[in-house]
């Protein structure tokens, strides 16, 4: 019997039009009726998920790839990056002519497109786009559009609690950063961008802390995801479900593979693992 089920957001709960399908909304309501806790597990910072939490009436979440965990409005786990590591990331990005965003729980600052799109008119445009741009468009934006000449200011990260950095570096830099930053965990999300978290940090760690807090055994948990940063999560929980649109690497470690969000993947997946009834 499941007691809690975790859901990634982008590509899992949200479809290509950046909306939660009605079938997913109803399925999550059924979970609650069955006494099962629905929870979010995302790479997004808390301030970027408030609307989704309110829409689904969810009070439990693992954010910033496991570094900031909340249950019923109480922060039960925080795992910020070491200040020295953040400073070295900033210096390395500047040395390599790369852009970077520094994520706190309340805002993102930096010299990259990610930080710019979190405020002002760019945020309004992003929030009201009727669709999610195709991956190749997103990749082109980061490849050619994120060439900011602005310096990486100390005010972006000094005197702030940073849980995650979003570094815009191509895959050829992976070995360099892995070698120079053994105290960090790097999770790539497209050919030009990578999330940087504290060493060992992942959604799985945040989930473990939450399960311990709630006294829920791992086997009574399940999770749905689609990306590379969901691999540890799906391997950890009692039942890991990969979305049909998910990465092949994720599908290889999943216990189940469901349909995409556009094809009622959340509802079908929950029915297949027996969390809700197949009506």
């Amino acid at each position: 019997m499941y007691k809690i089920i975790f859901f990634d957001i982008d590509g899992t709960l949200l479809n290509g039009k950046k909306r939660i399908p009605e079938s997913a909304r109803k399925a999550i309501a059924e979970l609650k009726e069955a006494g099962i806790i629905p929870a979010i597990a995302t790479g997004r910072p808390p301030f970027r998920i408030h609307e989704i939490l309110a829409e689904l009436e969810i009070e439990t979440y693992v954010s910033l790839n496991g570094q900031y965990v909340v249950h019923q409005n109480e922060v039960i786990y925080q795992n910020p990056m070491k200040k020295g590591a953040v400073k070295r990331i900033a210096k390395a990005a500047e040395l390599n002519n790369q852009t970077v965003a520094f994520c706190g729980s309340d805002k993102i600052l930096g010299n990259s497109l990610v930080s710019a799109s979190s405020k002002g008119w760019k945020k309004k445009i992003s929030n009201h786009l009727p669709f999610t741009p195709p991956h190749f468009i997103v990749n082109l934006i980061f490849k050619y559009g994120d060439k900011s000449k602005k310096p990486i200011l100390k005010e972006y990260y000094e005197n702030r609690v940073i849980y995650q950095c979003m570094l815009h570096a191509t895959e050829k830099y992976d070995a360099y950063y892995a070698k120079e930053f053994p105290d960090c965990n790097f999770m790539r999300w497209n050919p030009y961008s990578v999330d940087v978290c504290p060493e060992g940090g992942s959604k799985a760690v945040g989930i473990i802390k939450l399960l311990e807090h709630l006294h829920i055994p791992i086997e009574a948990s399940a999770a749905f995801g689609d990306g590379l940063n969901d691999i540890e999560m799906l391997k950890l929980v009692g039942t890991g479900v990969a979305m049909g649109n998910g990465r092949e690497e994720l599908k290889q470690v999943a216990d189940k593979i469901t349909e995409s969000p556009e094809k009622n993947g959340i509802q079908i997946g929950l029915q297949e693992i027996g969390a809700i009834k197949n009506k």
Side-chain angles (χ1 to χ4, degrees):
M1 175 64 180
Y2 297 108
K3 294 185 179 296
I4 188 167
I5 298 181
F6 297 89
F7 301 93
D8 173 52
I9 293 179
D10 299 291
T12 301
L13 275 178
L14 297 186
N15 59 24
K17 294 183 178 180
K18 297 173 68 174
R19 296 189 179 94
I20 301 173
E22 185 61 27
S23 61
R25 195 188 320 275
K26 290 181 178 179
I28 288 174
E30 289 182 50
L31 282 183
K32 295 177 186 177
E33 292 174 4
I36 301 172
I37 300 171
I40 298 295
T42 179
R44 293 190 186 195
F47 72 94
R48 292 287 304 277
I49 64 175
H50 287 160
E51 291 182 4
I52 293 171
L53 294 173
E55 185 176 347
L56 295 175
E57 298 182 344
I58 291 177
E59 300 178 318
T60 301
Y61 61 86
V62 174
S63 65
L64 289 162
N65 282 310
Q67 316 318 308
Y68 194 90
V69 182
V70 171
H71 175 59
Q72 293 183 343
N73 299 318
E74 176 190 358
V75 180
I76 60 106
Y77 176 69
Q78 299 180 66
N79 184 34
M81 296 183 68
K82 296 178 180 177
K83 292 186 181 296
V86 175
K87 185 175 181 179
R88 288 188 292 115
I89 287 288
K91 288 186 176 296
E94 200 158 41
L95 178 66
N96 293 314
N97 196 30
Q98 295 158 346
T99 59
V100 62
F102 304 91
C103 302
S105 62
D106 59 342
K107 60 184 174 181
I108 300 173
L109 297 177
N111 68 337
S112 78
L113 288 174
V114 171
S115 53
S117 65
S118 67
K119 54 188 177 182
W121 63 270
K122 291 184 179 180
K123 179 181 179 181
K124 292 179 182 178
I125 291 175
S126 175
N127 287 345
H128 291 90
L129 276 176
F131 61 92
T132 299
H135 287 301
F136 78 92
I137 295 294
V138 175
N139 290 345
L140 286 175
I141 290 173
F142 282 111
K143 183 177 182 180
Y144 298 110
D146 205 17
K147 300 296 184 181
S148 172
K149 297 298 182 181
K150 294 181 181 179
I152 300 173
L153 304 178
K154 290 183 179 180
E155 66 189 58
Y156 293 155
Y157 55 88
E158 284 192 347
N159 301 317
R160 296 184 63 216
V161 179
I162 304 300
Y163 296 94
Q164 176 175 279
C165 298
M166 287 181 279
L167 176 68
H168 303 299
T170 60
E171 293 171 321
K172 73 177 184 180
Y173 287 94
D174 286 355
Y176 163 79
Y177 278 104
K179 179 181 178 181
E180 296 297 323
F181 294 86
D183 53 345
C184 295
N185 185 25
F186 295 85
M187 291 173 281
R188 182 162 291 282
W189 49 280
N190 73 28
Y192 308 99
S193 305
V194 62
D195 288 337
V196 187
C197 294
E199 180 184 8
S202 71
K203 291 183 182 182
V205 174
I207 287 173
I208 288 172
K209 298 298 182 181
L210 179 60
L211 294 179
E212 290 175 349
H213 179 78
L214 298 176
H215 305 290
I216 294 176
I218 290 176
E219 57 268 23
S221 66
F224 287 66
D226 73 304
L228 295 178
N229 63 339
D230 296 319
I231 289 177
E232 292 90 348
M233 173 174 75
L234 262 60
K235 291 170 68 175
L236 169 76
V237 295
T239 304
V241 184
M243 305 300 291
N245 53 293
R247 293 287 295 255
E248 289 303 316
E249 299 95 323
L250 184 71
K251 293 178 180 179
Q252 291 175 9
V253 304
D255 299 300
K256 297 277 187 179
I257 299 174
T258 186
E259 297 287 348
S260 67
E262 288 77 10
K263 297 181 179 180
N264 304 325
I266 295 296
Q267 179 188 51
I268 292 171
L270 289 173
Q271 290 173 344
E272 288 183 344
I273 67 174
I276 62 174
K277 295 181 180 179
N278 190 348
K279 297 181 179 179

